[in-house]
Amino acid sequence: MRASSPKEKEWYTSFISGLFFPFHERIKNHDSVAVRKELEISQWWDPKCLEALQLSKLRRLLAHAEVHVPFYRALFSDISFNPKGVSSLTDLAYLPLLDKSRIRANTEALKSENGQSLARFNTGGSSGEPLIFYIGKERVSHDVAAKWRATRWWNVDIGDREIVVWGSPIELGAQDGIRGLRDWLLRTKLLPAFEMSEQKLDRFLDEIRAVRPKMLFGYPSALSHIARHANARGQRMDDLGLRVAFVTSERLYDEQRRQISETFGCPVANGYGGRDAGFIAHECPEGGMHITAEDIIVEIVDQQGMLLPCGEAGEIVVTHLATKDFPFIRYRTGDIGVLDSKLCACGRGLPLLKEIQGRSTDFLIAQDGTVIHGLALIYILRDVIGISNFKIIQESLNLTRISVVLESKLAPETIAKIEQGFKARLGQTVNIVIEEMAEIPPEKSGKFRYVVSKVATV
Ligand SMILES: [Zn+2]
C-alpha cells in the first residue's frame, strides 16, 4: 500500500470504523458497535453507578448459570447458593475460585445448554499446559468493544494503519484468505514475532517505514527488541507519525517502555488481559490502568483465596459478566496485582489497577523459602555492560541457570559479581550457571520471558 495524503487517510478511517467494520460485525452477528457506544458513555459514570451496573449484570449471569449451565447448577445446589439472594458484589466470595484445572475437568459441563455458535479457544500455554474453553458471540462482542474503546482513548481507530507484531505459529496458521482480505481492508499488517533473526528485523524496520502506521501493537519484548535493533542500525523510526504503541500479554518493564517510546517517538499504552480472562484493563493517556468494569469484576485474593483489601498485592481473579454461554466466574489469572482506591485524572469513573506485578511465575523461591520478585535478579543483569539479552531459569532450589547473549566477553570479576548478586538473593549454596548463547528464542507463543521458575508455580 502506498502512503496517502492526511485527508485521504482520515476519510478511509471514518469509512472503515463507521461503515465497513460495523457491517463486518453485523454479518458475524456481533453487537460490538452497540456495546462500544454504551461503553463510551458509561466510562464517565461515577464508581457507584458502575458498581450498580456490575451487580445487576452479575445477578443476571448467576441466575442464567443456575438454570442453563450444568456445572453451576450442581455447584449452587451443593453449597446451597441462591443467586437471587445476591445483594452485593462481595457475595461473590461465597463461590469457589475457578482455576484452569477445574475448567479442564468440567469443559462440557461449563457450556450453557442454550449456548449457540460457541467458538472453541485454546490458549497458547506459554505458562503451563494449554487451556481449552469456549466463547460465545456475546463475549466476543464485548471484548472487541472494550478493546475498540481503549484504542480510541489514544486518538486512533479501527481502520487506521496498524502494524501488529504478534503470534504463535498456531495463530498465524489461521491466516486464511478471508482474514487476509479483512486485514488488508482494516490496514492491519502482521509481522510474526516468533522468528526475529537479524535479517527479519531489518525487514521489519523496512515494513514499518513503508507502511507508516498510526499504531503499533505487540508484546513489549518484541517491540523493544525491534527498537533496539533500529538503534543499533542507526535507523530513525521517530519520524513516521506514530501515535501510540500498544503492548500487552507480558509484563511491561520501565526500560522497555522508555526504549519503545524513544525509538518510535510515541507513548506506550499498556493493556492487560487475555483470550481466557478477557480485556481486563487498559492504560489511558493520563497513565491510569482502567478496568473494563462494565464487563469485568476484579478481585484480589491471597494465597488461600481470601479477599484482600484495596491496596494490597495478591492474585487477580476476574468474573467476566458477558460469559453466559461459558461462564468465567472468579477465574484465577495467575497474575499478581494491586487495586487502586484513587480515580484517574482523566475523569473516567472506571476503577484502576495500580500495579500488575506480572505472572506469579515471574517470581522465584529462595532456598529459605522467601518469594523473590524476578525484577530483583533482572536488575543485576541489566547493569552489566556487554550483555545484550538474557533469561533466568530457576531449575530447582539449588540450581539457577542464566542464559546470556553477549556483545562483548565478560570479565571474570563481572561473572563473579553476577554470581554473588544471585547468591545473595537465592541462597549462598545455590549453584549459578552462566551460559553464553547466540540468541535466546522466545517461548512457543512468541512471548519472551526474562524469568522462568520451575519452583515457583501456582
Ligand atoms: Zn484515565
Side-chain angles (χ1 to χ4, degrees):
M1 275 182 285
R2 69 190 169 80
S4 44
S5 71
K7 229 179 191 165
E8 194 184 332
K9 275 182 201 167
E10 297 299 328
W11 172 85
Y12 189 83
T13 301
S14 307
F15 164 69
I16 292 295
S17 66
L19 286 168
F20 171 74
F21 190 69
F23 178 67
H24 167 270
E25 289 293 278
R26 188 175 303 170
I27 286 183
K28 294 184 92 175
N29 213 1
H30 294 164
D31 299 328
S32 38
V33 176
V35 176
R36 194 211 84 214
K37 285 182 179 158
E38 284 170 16
L39 293 181
E40 295 213 341
I41 295 167
S42 54
Q43 64 183 338
W44 303 105
W45 290 2
D46 74 75
K48 284 271 166 298
C49 291
L50 285 165
E51 257 183 58
L53 178 69
Q54 286 182 319
L55 181 60
S56 81
K57 287 188 177 184
L58 176 64
R59 289 168 60 113
R60 206 163 59 206
L61 174 66
L62 295 174
H64 179 275
E66 182 180 42
V67 178
H68 297 290
V69 182
F71 174 83
Y72 282 103
R73 190 158 55 221
L75 174 74
F76 293 175
S77 156
D78 281 352
I79 62 170
S80 307
F81 178 83
N82 177 11
K84 292 181 194 72
V86 169
S87 60
S88 136
L89 295 177
T90 53
D91 288 346
L92 262 179
Y94 292 116
L95 297 174
L97 299 177
L98 181 69
D99 59 14
K100 291 188 170 66
S101 62
R102 195 173 276 218
I103 293 179
R104 274 186 209 112
N106 298 281
T107 315
E108 287 305 308
L110 276 161
K111 284 188 193 169
S112 168
E113 286 158 347
N114 64 355
Q116 280 170 1
S117 43
L118 286 176
R120 185 174 179 275
F121 274 88
N122 189 340
T123 57
S126 62
S127 51
E129 277 182 78
L131 177 72
I132 291 162
F133 57 98
Y134 290 84
I135 286 186
K137 287 194 185 293
E138 179 199 23
R139 177 169 168 178
V140 175
S141 307
H142 281 252
D143 288 350
V144 167
K147 180 174 182 229
W148 193 359
R149 167 173 75 176
T151 304
R152 287 162 57 94
W153 291 345
W154 294 86
N155 193 24
V156 282
D157 209 332
I158 289 179
D160 278 324
R161 283 182 209 282
E162 175 186 39
I163 294 260
V164 176
V165 184
W166 201 248
S168 63
I170 305 160
E171 284 172 40
L172 293 181
Q175 285 287 97
D176 53 29
I178 298 286
R179 177 117 179 244
L181 174 65
R182 191 198 71 167
D183 285 352
W184 182 76
L185 283 165
L186 296 183
R187 303 200 293 189
T188 287
K189 173 134 189 92
L190 190 76
L191 305 177
F194 59 92
E195 37 174 352
M196 295 217 280
S197 61
E198 294 272 303
Q199 294 99 316
K200 281 266 160 61
L201 285 165
D202 284 337
R203 275 214 352 242
F204 284 5
L205 295 181
D206 291 344
E207 295 253 25
I208 297 170
R209 289 205 69 82
V211 171
R212 299 182 76 83
K214 281 268 182 296
M215 48 185 162
L216 293 176
F217 183 91
Y219 307 122
S221 62
L223 294 189
S224 63
H225 196 51
I226 295 171
R228 267 202 306 277
H229 185 75
N231 292 354
R233 284 277 191 269
Q235 172 70 67
R236 214 180 140 182
M237 300 300 281
D238 60 355
D239 56 348
L240 303 174
L242 268 159
R243 287 190 186 155
V244 58
F246 293 112
V247 296
T248 188
S249 280
E250 294 170 350
R251 186 192 165 100
L252 169 65
Y253 294 98
D254 292 344
E255 173 60 22
Q256 293 173 323
R257 186 192 284 273
R258 192 194 55 75
Q259 175 98 62
I260 297 166
S261 176
E262 272 181 23
T263 303
F264 293 106
C266 66
V268 175
N270 194 13
Y272 169 57
R275 281 250 162 103
D276 48 353
F279 194 85
I280 301 173
H282 204 279
E283 199 175 358
C284 81
E286 298 286 337
M289 195 73 185
H290 289 283
I291 294 170
T292 311
E294 298 94 334
D295 288 330
I296 291 178
I297 298 171
V298 171
E299 297 172 278
I300 305 290
V301 303
D302 67 14
Q303 284 191 317
Q304 283 72 46
M306 299 301 286
L307 208 57
L308 286 169
C310 201
E312 283 188 37
E315 184 175 351
I316 298 171
V317 167
V318 296
T319 296
H320 195 313
L321 299 164
T323 56
K324 68 175 175 0
D325 298 313
F326 191 96
F328 272 67
I329 298 171
R330 307 201 83 207
Y331 175 66
R332 297 182 64 167
T333 62
D335 298 322
I336 306 292
V338 181
L339 281 172
D340 199 341
S341 56
K342 290 206 241 1
L343 286 177
C344 184
C346 70
R348 291 182 180 85
L350 301 171
L352 302 176
L353 265 174
K354 188 153 58 178
E355 271 175 61
I356 300 158
Q357 296 172 353
R359 302 206 68 83
S360 31
T361 39
D362 275 351
F363 293 83
L364 303 98
I365 312 285
Q367 276 179 320
D368 65 2
T370 311
V371 178
I372 298 173
H373 195 284
L375 266 180
L377 300 176
I378 287 171
Y379 283 137
I380 298 173
L381 297 168
R382 280 262 159 82
D383 284 345
V384 178
I385 295 166
I387 295 183
S388 66
N389 200 7
F390 60 85
K391 181 168 187 167
I392 301 160
I393 302 149
Q394 183 176 37
E395 296 283 356
S396 69
L397 283 179
N398 299 317
L399 172 65
T400 289
R401 291 192 291 119
I402 311 170
S403 303
V404 290
V405 178
L406 296 181
E407 274 161 358
S408 55
K409 206 166 157 42
L410 297 178
E413 55 271 24
T414 310
I415 294 172
K417 212 172 136 197
I418 294 171
E419 285 180 0
Q420 266 168 24
F422 272 65
K423 285 184 175 178
R425 287 164 181 83
L426 292 172
Q428 285 304 328
T429 61
V430 174
N431 196 6
I432 308 291
V433 178
I434 303 178
E435 304 162 315
E436 186 180 345
M437 298 179 79
E439 66 172 321
I440 299 174
E443 307 284 314
K444 277 201 275 267
S445 63
K447 293 185 202 179
F448 190 86
R449 287 170 65 195
Y450 289 100
V451 177
V452 174
S453 172
K454 295 179 183 171
V455 185
T457 50
V458 169

